[in-house]
Amino acid sequence: MPGIVTVNTSPYEGQKPGTSGLRKKVKVFLQENYTENFVQSILDANKGAVAGSTLVVGGDGRYLVKEVVDKIIKICAGNGVSRLLVGQNGILSTPAVSCIIRKYKTLGGIVLTASHNPGGIDNDFGIKFNCANGGPAPDATTNQIHALTTQISQYKTVPDLVCPIDKCGVQKFDVEGQTFTVEVIDPVDDYLALMREIFDLPAIGRLLRGEGGRKFNVLIDGMNGVTGPYIQRIFVQELGAPPTSVRRVTPLEDFGGAHPDPNLTYAAELVEEVRSGDYDFGAAFDGDGDRNMIIGRNAFFVTPSDSLAVLAAGAAAVPYFRSRGVAGLARSMPTAAAADRVAKELGLPVFEVPTGWKYFGNLMDAGRLSICGEESFGTGSDHVREKDGIWAALFWLQVLAASGLSVEDTMKEHWRKFGRNYFTRYDYEECASAPCAEMMLSLERTITAPGFAGSVLTGQGKAYTVAAADDFSYMDPVDHSVAMKQGLRIIFTDGSRIVMRLSGTGSSGATVRLYIDSYELTDVLGDAQDMLRPLVDIALQLSDLPRYTGRAAPTVIT
Ligand code: G16
């Protein structure tokens, strides 16, 4: 009978969860008791509820997931958790964890992922706690977890407990007279059942199989992340798409060396294949399956901000929204305001929240929000409490199956009706932290100085008048909690915006994000980079970014 052992430990600095969980280099997590401290602190933050509880555990298949699942099983056993639902081989996509937490009404879940960051011994790992609503823990909880990590002196574990996770099935252990159950589950079953409830999958299947005379070829790219088994089951087995419709569907610990971030830079292989091949639709997902990128024939790119707007406008094509209606829309602050125009047309409320999926959860729980998205390739709804890549691709296909249009024509129709929010994001990755912090401080001082509002700024000969500028803060309309300092924004009198913030998901150094959003009612077919150059110029001059970062050009342009 395995026994509980209390291990003495001491705190590590810097175990502060960022935008979405604790993300660090693998080697940081490999330090003695580093992972154990953080897991124990998650359980301690739920004190009172842990004994006798059920938790979900899974991750994106990256390097270290299996080892950390094993540690979590032992620590949960040591802390009186009564049951764990663990994905087979440690595999569960982030939206699937959310789905399973909600379906089986568990206390929450522990998700092992560094999302879109590269994997492997020299790259990134991450641990995130999701609450009973299925969503990432709110700031109050993550702050509490962090506070506990600074004081931790012991953790409890059951070192002799041996629990293989390579086969589905139930394993029961007697831990000092209490039964501890580990149920290893198929990663896809519950998620697929939910997709069957939400969508008319047979209609999407007919489109993908070319029935009804319309030839429609898709290429779905798992980027060797967690979505591989989901893509195989859903697109090939369930919907009947040919096996040649999917690529990189084997989860690999290092993602095959890829940077599993579905954007034009890191998903360039997909973009090239769709551009040069006979494909009507392409989609890629990130390491843990919550992000998505959508492209059409000839690699026509849909910005995430536009994608949210198109899906919101087309929600009636989806049985889930036909039967429940749409209560409201939301986007993160830096996301272009295309969805706001759809909300206005449909008479729906629209919420602007800080960057971070956790900020949508309260609104959804209160029944005020149905569909939301972020410029960072996230789209989702209240079916779970995470963004959901595969769901977004299915949503697009449902809309296209109903309309008979191509991706490009869908987008152009949308712009003709609503006008277009041109959008671009410049990322300057892994810069030195101190100068970036200094740059943000200096920019904040500039834009909040008296007289800045009302001033005229000029880029490439085009003049813009500043209407307002601030460091964005947000009060949650449901629980009235306040999030401060969520990004510097300059809003111009024509509605154009410049936003600058530091990423909260990098694992080392600082990543600067510059976002530009500008609205045109009729000039909707221009090139985004050309249209936005004047505002980019203004942003670079005003922030003095090249000098502070030493970078002449961004790492990624979206
Ligand atoms: C996470 C959050 C998203 C956020 C994104 C980027 O996504 O869940 O809400 O938009 O990070 O955040 P940042 O700009 O701070 O890097 P993921 O896919 O990394 O879990």
Side-chain angles (χ1 to χ4, degrees), residues 19-20 23 114-117 128 136 286 288 290-291 332 354-358 360 374-376 386-387 425 501-506 513 515:
T19 308
S20 200
R23 293 185 189 163
S115 185
H116 52 289
N117 295 356
K128 177 168 87 155
D286 70 335
D288 64 326
D290 55 0
R291 298 183 175 206
S332 66
T355 296
W357 206 260
K358 57 193 168 190
F360 295 123
E374 294 187 288
E375 49 64 40
S376 56
E386 289 278 5
K387 53 191 188 275
R425 182 175 108 179
R501 58 182 282 281
L502 297 180
S503 158
T505 56
R513 302 209 197 282
Y515 315 78

Side-chain angles (χ1 to χ4, degrees), residues 99 103-104 168 185-196 230 233:
C99 156
K103 181 166 176 177
Y104 298 104
C168 293
I185 58 174
D186 179 273
V188 186
D189 284 350
D190 294 298
Y191 182 80
L192 172 56
L194 182 60
M195 293 303 111
R196 284 185 183 138
Y230 298 81
R233 274 282 286 288

Side-chain angles (χ1 to χ4, degrees), residues 394-416:
L394 293 172
F395 197 157
W396 260 97
L397 292 170
Q398 190 92 80
V399 167
L400 298 175
S403 69
L405 294 177
S406 67
V407 172
E408 182 167 350
D409 288 345
T410 302
M411 216 47 261
K412 288 182 173 165
E413 275 286 300
H414 186 91
W415 291 335
R416 260 192 290 277

Side-chain angles (χ1 to χ4, degrees), residues 323-520:
S323 63
R324 303 162 61 107
V326 175
L329 307 181
R331 60 174 172 79
S332 66
M333 183 272 283
T335 303
D340 301 30
R341 298 170 205 287
V342 176
K344 195 164 173 218
E345 161 96 6
L346 301 178
L348 295 173
V350 60
F351 301 91
E352 185 180 40
V353 309
T355 296
W357 206 260
K358 57 193 168 190
Y359 295 105
F360 295 123
N362 274 351
L363 293 164
M364 288 181 176
D365 291 347
R368 296 169 68 173
L369 169 60
S370 304
I371 302 175
C372 54
E374 294 187 288
E375 49 64 40
S376 56
F377 294 85
T379 333
S381 89
D382 59 355
H383 69 289
V384 290
R385 295 293 182 272
E386 289 278 5
K387 53 191 188 275
D388 190 344
I390 289 183
W391 168 91
L394 293 172
F395 197 157
W396 260 97
L397 292 170
Q398 190 92 80
V399 167
L400 298 175
S403 69
L405 294 177
S406 67
V407 172
E408 182 167 350
D409 288 345
T410 302
M411 216 47 261
K412 288 182 173 165
E413 275 286 300
H414 186 91
W415 291 335
R416 260 192 290 277
K417 183 165 176 195
F418 294 97
R420 177 173 176 190
N421 278 81
Y422 286 94
F423 178 83
T424 191
R425 182 175 108 179
Y426 282 26
D427 295 332
Y428 300 81
E429 295 177 340
E430 299 201 8
C431 302
S433 300
C436 290
E438 211 182 309
M439 175 184 76
M440 294 299 283
L441 264 179
S442 152
L443 182 61
E444 181 173 7
R445 273 197 296 272
T446 306
I447 68 170
T448 55
F452 185 73
S455 64
V456 176
L457 304 177
T458 308
Q460 310 246 323
K462 201 167 168 191
Y464 295 84
T465 306
V466 177
D470 65 1
D471 194 340
F472 180 63
S473 66
Y474 173 72
M475 182 190 279
D476 184 299
V478 181
D479 67 12
H480 305 296
S481 58
V482 175
M484 312 275 288
K485 297 196 170 296
Q486 296 297 315
L488 302 177
R489 55 178 189 168
I490 306 167
I491 305 168
F492 297 97
T493 49
D494 70 345
S496 300
R497 297 185 305 155
I498 293 173
V499 174
M500 200 180 265
R501 58 182 282 281
L502 297 180
S503 158
T505 56
S507 61
S508 59
T511 292
V512 183
R513 302 209 197 282
L514 166 64
Y515 315 78
I516 311 282
D517 170 19
S518 179
Y519 178 69
E520 295 285 341

Side-chain angles (χ1 to χ4, degrees), residues 32 35 37 57 61 87 174 196 226 249-250 265 277 295 320 388 425 443 455 462 477-478 497 506 518 542:
E32 191 180 8
T35 300
N37 282 8
V57 182
D174 180 347
R196 284 185 183 138
V226 75
V249 287
T250 306
T265 303
I295 54 179
Y320 178 86
D388 190 344
R425 182 175 108 179
L443 182 61
S455 64
K462 201 167 168 191
V478 181
R497 297 185 305 155
S518 179
L542 206 61

